[in-house]
Amino acid sequence: MSVKLAAGAAAAVGGLILASVIGAAAVGGTPASAAGATGIKAGKVPGEFLSWVMKAGALCDDESPALIAAQLYQESHFNAAAVGPETSSGTAKGAAQFTDASWGTWGRDDDGNGNASPFDIGDAVMAQGRYMCALIERAKDSGYSGGAVALALAGYNGGWGRVQQFQGVPPESFAQGQTYNYVHDIIDRAAEWADAVPAVTGTGSGADAVRKAATYLGLPYVWGGGTPAGPSTGFCSGNNGYLDGVCFAASHEGFDCSSLTQNAWWSTTHLPRTASDQYNATASHPVSMDALQVGDLIFYSHTGSGSDAYHVVMYYGDGKVIEAPKTGKNVQIVKLYRTGGLVGATRPA
């Protein structure tokens, strides 16, 4: 069902408009914010969007992948070619529905293809993330009630001028409830899509590394992918990187097991790239499996030697590990396992 702002209410002051609201329904009260959730349930986000949703969802503290995904669903149903109706603010374009004026402020060539376009998935999603972070900060500074995320969503949909006009989220009576429903639907959907993530306990570099890795939950395993700067495409070699006979790694962004741990620890400890090299670099700091601390590295080898490690995971706490497991799987938190050639653990810090 397409819903348009009423004449005279369509102007988005320095912001965007919603091209369509699908299944919008009035919601009583103020829903709890989904900000802070770092996981997203499998199957909710199309594969070509997932790595960008994870990146954008980690741009600022009050954002999350589930929030970014729910907003994209509301804006376009993940349609990268979406074009909204003509309005006084221009035509909204792409998955995140940017007008030309707003794109000029927030658009970048994030996917590195030489062209910054609202129709490019990476460019659109990262612009969405940047714009939402800016709106969240504006909301915090405003002193208006309703929650920073809800206010930011209202600003994205109706323009910050409408938030100023009503000193909060526009009421349900404004513009047939478009902005009101937009805000509530997205927050409700983000809460539904967010995957429950155990809290990371403790402080220090190990806990910080695990929190960093947790921002990539749901991102696909990509053989040869991932760098200290973030997820990237990989490559196929031998039997590695293929999924159903197709080279999955070359066309998807993500991490393999050792690039995830490398990225997570990079701000304090520059681990080498491969699991075996990470073992050799940290073997002088062995840790008993009965004395694991958050952030410790746990290695697996077919030969029994850590120098031949083929897999590395990171201790999450409470008997769990976080890992990039294998092609066809996503970054996940699972119970610590001792099968598969467990060699032992080391502590990078």
Side-chain angles (χ1 to χ4, degrees):
M1 178 179 64
S2 180
V3 180
K4 299 180 184 178
L5 287 172
V13 183
L16 307 181
I17 60 155
L18 175 66
S20 64
V21 176
I22 301 171
V27 181
T30 302
S33 170
T38 52
I40 187 166
K41 292 177 180 176
K44 298 300 183 182
V45 179
E48 63 271 24
F49 279 85
L50 186 57
S51 65
W52 296 109
V53 166
M54 301 304 291
K55 281 184 179 182
L59 287 177
C60 58
D61 290 339
D62 293 276
E63 216 157 54
S64 73
L67 180 68
I68 291 293
Q71 190 176 19
L72 284 166
Y73 178 91
Q74 193 78 2
E75 290 287 354
S76 68
H77 264 200
F78 300 107
N79 180 4
V83 176
E86 185 67 32
T87 73
S88 58
S89 299
T91 302
K93 302 173 182 176
Q97 291 289 277
F98 275 90
T99 62
D100 290 342
S102 295
W103 185 254
T105 300
W106 302 104
R108 307 281 190 279
D109 180 21
D110 288 284
D111 61 9
N113 69 356
N115 180 42
S117 169
F119 296 110
D120 288 347
I121 291 173
D123 297 354
V125 177
M126 294 304 290
Q128 173 195 355
R130 282 191 292 269
Y131 187 33
M132 278 295 292
C133 284
L135 287 168
I136 287 169
E137 287 306 308
R138 180 178 285 189
K140 290 179 179 179
D141 293 339
S142 71
Y144 301 148
S145 62
V149 171
L151 293 169
L153 287 169
Y156 194 107
N157 174 245
W160 189 254
R162 295 304 181 188
V163 177
Q164 291 176 313
Q165 176 185 345
F166 293 100
Q167 297 188 14
V169 176
E172 192 175 1
S173 59
F174 169 72
Q176 300 179 328
Q178 179 173 307
T179 300
Y180 176 90
N181 289 330
Y182 176 90
V183 171
H184 286 234
D185 287 350
I186 290 173
I187 290 179
D188 286 351
R189 184 170 288 111
E192 177 189 345
W193 285 6
D195 202 8
V197 178
V200 180
T201 60
T203 60
S205 56
D208 288 343
V210 169
R211 291 188 183 96
K212 176 69 179 298
T215 66
Y216 299 117
L217 285 168
L219 203 66
Y221 176 99
V222 173
W223 173 267
T227 72
S232 69
T233 55
F235 57 91
C236 293
S237 176
N239 294 323
N240 297 307
Y242 291 93
L243 185 63
D244 298 328
V246 178
C247 184
F248 178 89
S251 59
H252 291 77
E253 289 200 344
F255 292 94
D256 60 23
C257 67
S258 55
S259 64
L260 178 67
T261 53
Q262 182 190 50
N263 176 280
W265 270 100
W266 195 257
S267 64
T268 58
T269 303
H270 286 194
L271 295 173
R273 178 60 178 80
T274 67
S276 58
D277 286 345
Q278 288 180 12
Y279 178 84
N280 291 332
T282 59
S284 59
H285 302 287
V287 178
S288 167
M289 294 298 294
D290 296 322
L292 292 170
Q293 293 182 11
V294 175
D296 286 347
L297 303 180
I298 303 169
F299 296 90
Y300 300 81
S301 170
H302 293 307
T303 68
S305 170
S307 295
D308 296 324
Y310 72 91
H311 189 52
V312 58
V313 305
M314 192 157 51
Y315 189 62
Y316 195 92
D318 193 29
K320 298 179 177 64
V321 298
I322 185 167
E323 64 169 352
K326 63 180 181 179
T327 302
K329 299 287 188 178
N330 300 329
V331 176
Q332 62 183 5
I333 298 169
V334 296
K335 184 177 179 180
L336 171 63
Y337 50 93
R338 296 174 182 267
T339 57
L342 174 66
V343 174
T346 66
R347 186 163 297 153

